[in-house]
Amino acid sequence: PAQTTTNGRVGRVGRMTRYVADAVALNRRLAGREPAAVERIFDRAEDGVDRILATPIQLAEVVDTFGRDDEIAGETPTTSGREAARTLTSGPVEVCEPGRDGVLRLDRLFELYSMHDAVLVAAHHTHETAGILTNDHEIEQYDGDAVVWS
């Protein structure tokens, strides 16, 4: 049965609540520097209770960040980009696409968002997720009820 989440969205499949994650949330999880709400969702996904989706664009950003040893919330990564992607995709994160419906929305979304944010928001709508794990202020400005971060 569908249940409404704290942000008012349904986003459930069977008993699992789905979320889509941006690169910042994925990076912060790998660095152990995610906020409490995001940590709970990842923990639930690792326990098989919830699902976390990420598009190839967000995962490519993770590989790039870890590959360049960019700081993540003040921490320097200690693993390679490839290992970061492997950890995420062999664990709680499922690769998803925005799908046909999402692609057809992109022209409107490009008016509001950068390409990678538009694809993320399209995936959120296509997969009817309960929320977007992000601290992105642009997404919060236009799709704020979907943002999960704190």
Side-chain angles (χ1 to χ4, degrees):
Q3 273 188 333
T4 304
T5 63
T6 56
N7 66 4
R9 296 200 181 257
V10 176
R12 293 186 67 84
V13 173
R15 296 185 164 207
M16 292 185 176
T17 302
R18 294 178 300 197
Y19 298 88
V20 65
D22 78 348
V24 172
L26 299 170
N27 286 335
R28 297 274 295 259
R29 177 60 177 191
L30 289 168
R33 307 281 293 179
E34 71 275 32
V38 174
E39 180 181 22
R40 280 190 299 276
I41 291 167
F42 270 95
D43 289 348
R44 288 173 53 88
E46 288 173 353
D47 290 342
V49 177
D50 291 340
R51 291 174 57 200
I52 298 173
L53 310 176
T55 73
I57 290 174
Q58 278 68 44
L59 291 166
E61 288 183 272
V62 170
V63 171
D64 184 52
T65 298
F66 275 78
R68 288 185 288 123
D69 293 331
D70 286 353
E71 280 195 0
I72 300 166
E75 301 288 325
T76 302
T78 58
T79 188
S80 70
R82 179 184 179 109
E83 196 56 39
R86 183 177 294 136
T87 297
L88 290 171
T89 58
S90 64
V93 177
E94 299 173 36
V95 180
C96 76
E97 299 290 340
R100 181 179 186 277
D101 290 340
V103 169
L104 294 176
R105 290 177 197 232
L106 287 176
D107 63 332
R108 287 178 284 147
L109 293 173
F110 286 152
E111 294 173 11
L112 304 173
Y113 303 112
S114 65
M115 183 188 67
H116 70 272
D117 286 350
V119 172
L120 179 70
V121 171
H124 161 65
H125 289 291
T126 299
H127 294 279
E128 298 178 337
T129 68
I132 302 171
L133 307 181
T134 185
N135 67 348
D136 189 302
H137 297 294
E138 288 182 6
I139 293 174
E140 189 172 31
Q141 180 179 356
Y142 296 109
D143 217 345
D145 64 328
V147 170
V148 178
W149 194 267
S150 59

